[in-house]
Amino acid sequence: QVQLVESGGTLVQAGDSLRLSCAASGRTFSIYAMGWFRQAPEKEREFVAAISSGTGSTYYADSVKGRFTISRDDAKNTVSLQMNSLKLEDTAVYYCAAGFPYGESEYAKSRKYGYWGQGTQVTVSS
């Protein structure tokens, strides 16, 4: 079992950069694939980025590819999301998740993640 706590969300301007962090409890963090999802008002939760256990393979939604970078530090039980060139449409609550997706196509599926944080608000203004 793992507990997740996100931090770093705030109000920024379009074009700015922001780094989100997710701290995990438990001694088995390294076995989990980690993902970031987001949910904007009146929209469904959507996949943002994920990183596998072991090899650290990364996966990104097309909307953030080239702007966002996910990374993990298994020694510190943390996963981060570096967000550059932020756009108005990046405004959302960002959630960290841990789970066991199998195969590249599953990393974007929220149902493959059994543990979720409480979310952190990112607001991008013009």
Side-chain angles (χ1 to χ4, degrees):
Q1 189 170 356
V2 62
Q3 293 182 323
L4 306 172
V5 179
E6 304 95 334
S7 62
T10 190
L11 172 65
V12 296
Q13 290 190 323
D16 283 354
S17 296
L18 188 65
R19 187 176 183 88
L20 303 182
S21 294
C22 174
S25 65
R27 293 175 291 180
T28 58
F29 173 78
S30 64
I31 71 172
Y32 292 94
M34 300 299 298
W36 285 96
F37 291 76
R38 67 186 182 187
Q39 187 166 18
E42 301 183 355
K43 291 188 176 181
E44 293 187 354
R45 189 172 298 187
E46 65 174 1
F47 170 73
V48 176
I51 186 166
S52 71
S53 61
T55 62
S57 298
T58 56
Y59 308 90
Y60 297 95
D62 288 342
S63 59
V64 307
K65 202 171 292 184
R67 299 189 299 123
F68 291 11
T69 302
I70 188 171
S71 60
R72 65 188 298 160
D73 186 336
D74 289 345
K76 296 182 178 179
N77 281 15
T78 59
V79 60
S80 299
L81 185 68
Q82 177 66 41
M83 305 186 293
N84 299 328
S85 303
L86 282 161
K87 303 177 180 180
L88 297 178
E89 52 264 40
D90 294 320
T91 295
V93 177
Y94 283 72
Y95 297 90
C96 173
F100 297 104
Y102 183 76
E104 182 173 347
S105 64
E106 292 194 348
Y107 279 87
K109 298 178 179 178
S110 60
R111 66 178 183 271
K112 294 299 180 180
Y113 297 82
Y115 302 98
W116 293 80
Q118 83 290 347
T120 186
Q121 176 71 48
V122 173
T123 303
V124 184
S125 65
S126 59

